[in-house]
């Protein structure tokens, strides 16, 4: 799992139980999946199609630093399938796991379109090709 983003849990991120609100965490995951897909597919027109069941394993509280990890499960013809794990940066305890996030590449009309990618590419490798 590659961890790309860190967040600090702030007062506005909490639920009435004073733990990280699940909806806020899902917002962060969806944003991270979109950013990851945009970079991998080299396309700005990427949307979330599907997110599998979500497994909340542990809570996070105010002041915790969390990190969001994404890995590619599969490159489809028009899609990129990811998995996600969010963990506490300091304790390494898993906070949430999402087994499948399907991101779809779209054309100018909003229709799924092939992206032509088959493997993970790193920005440093793309830059060295130019």
């Amino acid at each position: 799992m590659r961890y790309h983003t860190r967040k600090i849990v702030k007062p506005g991120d909490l639920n009435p139980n004073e733990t990280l609100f699940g909806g806020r965490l899902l917002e962060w995951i969806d944003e991270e999946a979109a950013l990851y897909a945009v970079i991998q597919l080299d396309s700005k027109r990427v949307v979330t199609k599907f997110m599998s069941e979500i497994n909340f394993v542990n809570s996070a509280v105010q002041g915790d630093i969390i990190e969001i990890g994404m890995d590619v499960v599969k490159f489809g013809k028009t899609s990129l399938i990811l998995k996600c794990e969010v963990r506490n940066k300091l304790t390494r305890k898993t906070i949430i796991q999402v087994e499948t996030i399907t991101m779809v590449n779209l054309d100018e009309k909003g229709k799924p379109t092939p992206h032509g990618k088959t493997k993970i590419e790193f920005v440093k490798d793309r830059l060295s090709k130019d």
Side-chain angles (χ1 to χ4, degrees):
M1 184 73 54
R2 296 181 183 275
Y3 293 87
H4 303 278
T5 299
R6 295 180 185 140
K7 300 275 188 182
I8 188 163
V9 179
K10 299 179 292 236
D13 303 324
L14 303 178
N15 61 29
N17 193 44
E18 297 188 7
T19 58
L20 179 58
F21 175 54
R24 177 70 51 139
L25 185 52
L26 292 174
E27 175 187 347
W28 292 342
I29 290 169
D30 191 38
E31 180 179 36
E32 185 66 26
L35 290 168
Y36 192 88
V38 163
I39 291 166
Q40 284 303 309
L41 302 181
D42 199 19
S43 169
K44 292 181 184 177
R45 297 182 186 272
V46 177
V47 296
T48 307
K49 168 73 172 147
F50 175 80
M51 198 177 282
S52 70
E53 85 177 22
I54 298 152
N55 185 13
F56 288 92
V57 180
N58 288 294
S59 298
V61 297
Q62 184 177 333
D64 281 354
I65 299 169
I66 65 164
E67 53 187 359
I68 303 170
M70 292 281 166
D71 267 340
V72 172
V73 174
K74 176 182 170 188
F75 284 87
K77 183 178 176 184
T78 63
S79 64
L80 176 63
I81 301 173
L82 305 169
K83 67 179 175 179
C84 173
E85 179 178 86
V86 178
R87 68 183 183 185
N88 182 302
K89 172 67 178 163
L90 300 177
T91 67
R92 299 284 199 257
K93 285 186 179 178
T94 299
I95 296 168
I96 192 172
Q97 295 173 322
V98 183
E99 286 301 313
T100 305
I101 304 171
T102 303
M103 307 301 292
V104 176
N105 188 51
L106 302 178
D107 64 16
E108 304 79 31
K109 296 179 182 178
K111 301 293 182 195
T113 190
H115 50 67
K117 305 291 182 174
T118 59
K119 65 179 184 167
I120 295 173
E121 292 180 334
F122 297 97
V123 173
K124 65 178 177 64
D125 297 329
R126 287 185 192 156
L127 293 175
S128 65
K129 290 180 186 177
D130 296 336

